[in-house]
Amino acid sequence: MKTKEIILVIGACGQIGRELTSALRKKYGTDSVFATDIAAPETVPASMEPYQKLNVMDTVALESLMESKAFTQVYHLAAVLSANGERNPKAAWDLNMNSLLNVLDLSVKYKVSKVFWPSSIAVFGPNSQKLNTPQYGVMEPTTIYGLSKAAGELWCKYYFEKYGLDVRSLRYPGLISAGEPGGGTTDYAVDIFHSAVKAQVYTCFLKEDTGLPMMYMPDAIRATLELMNAPVVNMSVRTAYNIGALSFTPEEIYSEIVKQMPDFKIAYQPDFRQEIADSWPQSIDDSTARKDWGWKPDYDLQSMVEDMLENIKKLSGADCGQTSGTAVLV
Ligand code: AKB
């Protein structure tokens, strides 16, 4: 007999959380997916219901929720990203690490079947291979966010090996969606669309030739669902899987947008985020994910830009956007 899934999403109001919660609800039913975030309920759209305010650092509150609901899956998305992390490194480390440890401990205690926790290309550093960065190789991240993701990956593997907890993870590249991003170095690739649609000049905080791995949100959501639904025997990676899709520079995405919005202008004013971007890979070797669970992205630069512009135009005026419903459910 198939067990009914009861799913907890932590960080449901963030850039990934909004779209993942909606995709999980399409797949498993609204009432089976319980959304939580630090945001006060009155600031959260009614479509988030069932929703509860939760500070993931509050172990007592998290335990009382997990004790009351018998969750079968937990998606722990709350994190401080790369740029914000550098503003207060110790606070970022504390939140990113201790929240993960809380979730892992309680998931063991309450016998959760599967846990998802996102990692990032930020686990790589200046000594990593820049092009086609392999699954295994030199990492040595230089941001506190990258340090916390690299250490977190090893904690996930440790909990799998010591306690049999089925934790799965992806090293997301920069994620592009109509909704607001969360304080990362790749956020320029979202901000640029909002300026284009508002007919404003976009001032980019990275240099024009800074290549980074990126992914359109519908691909990222589908990757997450595919990973979580893959047979356990196929999971050869217990840290986090490399996944790739697009790689482009600010000038390349600008050129693609200009094809549709010929008056759009860009200026460059690199700031502290340039050093972070320079430490990361330019493209990712995701052959292990392709082999283990069939990963394959759908969107290229042109189709992503077309879809984003259409979505942002539709959304202008609304502040908490969701990318198109083209994410395929698995
Ligand atoms: C960031 O820029 O910090 C994130 C990431 C690549 O994980 N988008």
Side-chain angles (χ1 to χ4, degrees):
M1 204 180 68
K2 228 176 148 193
T3 355
K4 181 177 157 37
E5 299 290 347
I6 309 171
I7 297 172
L8 171 62
V9 182
I10 300 168
C13 294
Q15 189 195 10
I16 304 171
R18 291 185 295 262
E19 310 228 15
L20 188 57
T21 302
S22 154
L24 287 166
R25 284 178 174 166
K26 274 190 198 127
K27 185 172 168 64
Y28 295 106
T30 301
D31 291 340
S32 301
V33 181
F34 198 79
T36 65
D37 198 284
I38 191 84
E42 55 279 12
T43 63
V44 167
S47 57
M48 264 296 167
E49 289 293 336
Y51 175 84
Q52 180 181 309
K53 178 177 170 163
L54 176 78
N55 177 352
V56 69
M57 300 297 278
D58 182 345
T59 321
V60 175
L62 180 60
E63 174 148 20
S64 106
L65 179 62
M66 288 183 69
E67 193 177 12
S68 68
K69 293 235 190 281
F71 292 112
T72 58
Q73 295 186 34
V74 174
Y75 293 74
H76 170 29
L77 310 172
V80 179
L81 300 190
S82 58
N84 282 349
E86 294 311 292
R87 295 185 173 109
N88 193 344
K90 285 199 178 136
W93 174 264
D94 188 35
L95 187 132
N96 291 359
M97 282 325 328
N98 290 327
S99 67
L100 173 63
L101 293 176
N102 282 348
V103 168
L104 294 176
D105 276 337
L106 291 170
S107 297
V108 172
K109 183 165 178 185
Y110 292 101
K111 300 189 172 30
V112 172
S113 308
K114 277 185 228 166
V115 176
F116 177 79
W117 174 78
S119 187
S120 160
I121 54 152
V123 295
F124 298 111
N127 295 326
S128 307
Q129 186 175 308
K130 275 260 166 254
L131 295 177
N132 228 11
T133 310
Q135 175 70 45
Y136 300 104
V138 177
M139 293 167 86
E140 293 180 29
T142 50
T143 62
I144 204 69
Y145 171 66
L147 265 71
S148 70
K149 289 296 179 189
E153 286 189 4
L154 294 171
W155 274 114
C156 292
K157 186 165 181 277
Y158 184 88
Y159 270 71
F160 171 69
E161 285 166 357
K162 299 285 167 191
Y163 308 114
L165 183 65
D166 189 357
V167 197
R168 303 185 182 192
S169 182
L170 297 172
R171 290 175 182 155
Y172 288 129
L175 297 182
I176 301 165
S177 64
E180 219 182 284
T185 304
T186 57
D187 291 9
Y188 91 84
V190 173
D191 301 342
I192 193 170
F193 286 98
H194 289 276
S195 295
V197 168
K198 288 186 203 137
Q200 291 167 346
V201 176
Y202 178 63
T203 304
C204 184
F205 56 76
L206 297 183
K207 286 194 256 170
E208 60 189 78
D209 58 352
T210 311
L212 285 170
M214 300 277 185
M215 183 177 285
Y216 195 31
M217 190 61 88
D219 273 338
I221 298 300
R222 186 172 51 78
T224 310
L225 297 179
E226 284 177 0
L227 173 80
M228 291 301 275
N229 286 291
V232 70
V233 291
N234 292 16
M235 300 284 106
S236 71
V237 174
R238 281 297 173 176
T239 47
Y241 279 95
N242 276 8
I243 46 165
L246 317 164
S247 286
F248 56 78
T249 64
E251 196 57 22
E252 283 164 348
I253 190 172
Y254 168 72
S255 306
E256 199 58 51
I257 296 174
V258 154
K259 285 186 192 160
Q260 295 194 48
M261 312 196 82
D263 295 330
F264 180 46
K265 297 272 179 296
I266 191 164
Y268 294 95
Q269 214 171 292
D271 66 16
F272 73 100
R273 289 168 279 195
Q274 184 65 47
E275 197 181 329
I276 301 178
D278 287 342
S279 77
W280 287 352
Q282 289 176 9
S283 59
I284 294 291
D285 171 8
D286 58 7
S287 49
T288 312
R290 287 175 188 254
K291 182 169 129 297
D292 284 6
W293 45 276
W295 165 241
K296 194 172 175 292
D298 280 342
Y299 285 86
D300 60 15
L301 181 58
Q302 188 189 339
S303 53
M304 179 276 284
V305 167
E306 282 169 9
D307 204 54
M308 269 293 278
L309 285 173
E310 213 175 286
N311 280 310
I312 298 201
K313 280 181 200 154
K314 268 191 235 146
L315 275 168
S316 37
D319 60 359
C320 178
Q322 243 171 249
T323 308
S324 74
T326 43
V328 178
L329 299 183
V330 288

